[in-house]
Amino acid sequence: TTFGESHGRAVGAVVDGCPARMPLSEADIQPQLDRRRPGQNDVSTPRSEKDVVTILSGVEGGLTLGGPIALVVANQDTKPSDYAGLQNVPRPSHADATYQAKYGIRAASGGGRASARETVGRVAAGAVAEAWLRHRFKVEIVAWVDSIGEATMPEKGRLDWSRAEVDLSPVRCPDADAAAAMQKEVQQASEERDSIGGVVMCVCRAVPPGWGDPVFDKLEARLAQAMLSVPAVRGFEIGSGFAAARMRGSQHNDPFVLREGRLGTVTNYSGGIQGGISNGEPIVFRVAFKPPAT
């Protein structure tokens, strides 16, 4: 569960269900918040926040206790006065009007819970989940910017990028040529006092076969629900995604092959999930973000 408003005192998360005796400290979480931290360069939001995480509960002596883990990050660069003239005017393409319709009240500044500031709690909680996945299963998760506007990564490029390679670029694109084109797209939109959307690709490696459920809790459905709940996300596709609708079945099939003593697939149009259950291949999905409304 995440908590906090964009211009409130703090944002954060409460993580339930984390196993006991797992090594965990702020040092496992902070690097991911540092990667997310606003104001890092001229292609990110100018809001300036240190985003230092504090673990309030659930951890003692560097080990999880099995109870709820509470994580909090203080807000420092809050400017409610910037929104003083908008208290009675709903902003287009924001959640001001819908929050007012649902609750009869809304946060006076910054969009409240509808702000992308809410994702601080997700990043902190995600770092805890990643620590467990890595500790227990050696799962590796790497995401990068696949496209911004018309600038895009090579269609059949590498999928084995490391997080260190991704972080070399201010736009978080590991391909140098594509990154330069993406940065140009952002800068051009900024010079025109406009914004632009993009697509993020994620690869989850070493996911064991057998995760997920066959029908309503399909693994891809759970991933889609998580991604589509992120502010500004407008699309989710896994494996071949929407391109599958333009293919024939003979093209789209993933033939089986024995790989290191286990059943694998020659291709991965399924994106690592078949029948709602992981098949042991890398899980590959893309997430589309709309251009920010302000």
Side-chain angles (χ1 to χ4, degrees):
T1 304
T2 65
F3 61 84
E5 291 80 38
S6 179
H7 287 251
R9 293 178 62 184
V11 289
V14 176
V15 180
D16 280 310
C18 186
R21 302 185 303 279
M22 183 187 81
L24 185 70
S25 70
E26 281 96 344
D28 296 304
I29 301 169
Q30 192 60 51
Q32 303 314 317
L33 287 170
D34 290 342
R35 298 177 76 230
R36 182 212 171 276
R37 183 172 54 82
Q40 295 186 45
N41 49 59
D42 60 0
V43 295
S44 67
T45 172
R47 181 169 177 170
S48 179
E49 295 282 2
K50 294 182 179 180
D51 283 353
V52 177
V53 66
T54 299
I55 299 177
L56 298 181
S57 67
V59 178
E60 187 175 286
L63 295 174
T64 56
L65 297 170
I69 300 172
L71 311 167
V72 66
V73 174
N75 286 334
Q76 296 177 321
D77 188 14
T78 58
K79 299 177 181 177
S81 59
D82 288 353
Y83 299 85
L86 296 169
Q87 292 188 20
N88 299 313
V89 181
R91 294 168 296 167
S93 291
H94 286 71
D96 300 348
T98 51
Y99 268 54
Q100 188 73 38
K102 181 175 179 64
Y103 299 108
I105 190 173
R106 62 182 174 87
S109 59
R113 292 280 289 157
S115 168
R117 184 72 183 152
E118 181 269 344
T119 61
V120 170
R122 296 169 183 259
V123 172
V128 176
E130 182 183 41
W132 179 73
L133 289 168
R134 184 174 57 246
H135 174 75
R136 178 67 177 82
F137 298 100
K138 294 182 172 54
V139 169
E140 181 184 42
I141 304 166
V142 180
W144 59 85
V145 174
D146 192 55
S147 67
I148 295 178
E150 297 299 322
T152 185
M153 291 270 285
E155 185 175 351
K156 294 186 178 180
R158 289 173 51 189
L159 291 179
D160 61 346
W161 298 104
S162 68
R163 193 170 283 175
E165 290 175 301
V166 173
D167 287 350
L168 289 174
S169 161
V171 290
R172 296 296 199 273
C173 172
D175 184 277
D177 292 337
M182 291 178 193
Q183 194 162 346
K184 186 176 180 180
E185 289 266 6
V186 175
Q187 290 168 339
Q188 182 176 343
S190 179
E191 290 169 4
E192 296 171 1
R193 298 180 62 80
D194 210 333
S195 61
I196 194 163
V199 175
V200 169
M201 174 176 276
C202 183
V203 178
C204 307
R205 307 179 185 120
V207 175
W211 289 7
D213 287 299
V215 186
F216 296 110
D217 281 328
K218 292 177 185 288
L219 184 52
E220 67 266 46
R222 296 294 297 273
L223 288 169
Q225 181 185 30
M227 296 302 105
L228 288 166
S229 71
V230 175
V233 168
R234 286 298 174 270
F236 173 89
E237 61 177 12
I238 189 157
S240 57
F242 283 96
R246 300 188 296 273
M247 299 171 68
R248 291 194 173 191
S250 56
Q251 295 174 293
H252 193 269
N253 279 341
D254 291 324
F256 287 115
V257 64
L258 281 174
R259 184 183 294 121
E260 298 178 356
R262 71 167 182 85
L263 200 63
T265 60
V266 177
T267 53
N268 193 20
Y269 293 117
S270 299
I273 302 173
Q274 293 172 321
I277 301 169
S278 62
N279 65 4
E281 294 298 307
I283 294 176
V284 182
F285 61 86
R286 289 183 176 88
V287 183
F289 288 78
K290 70 169 185 174
T294 55

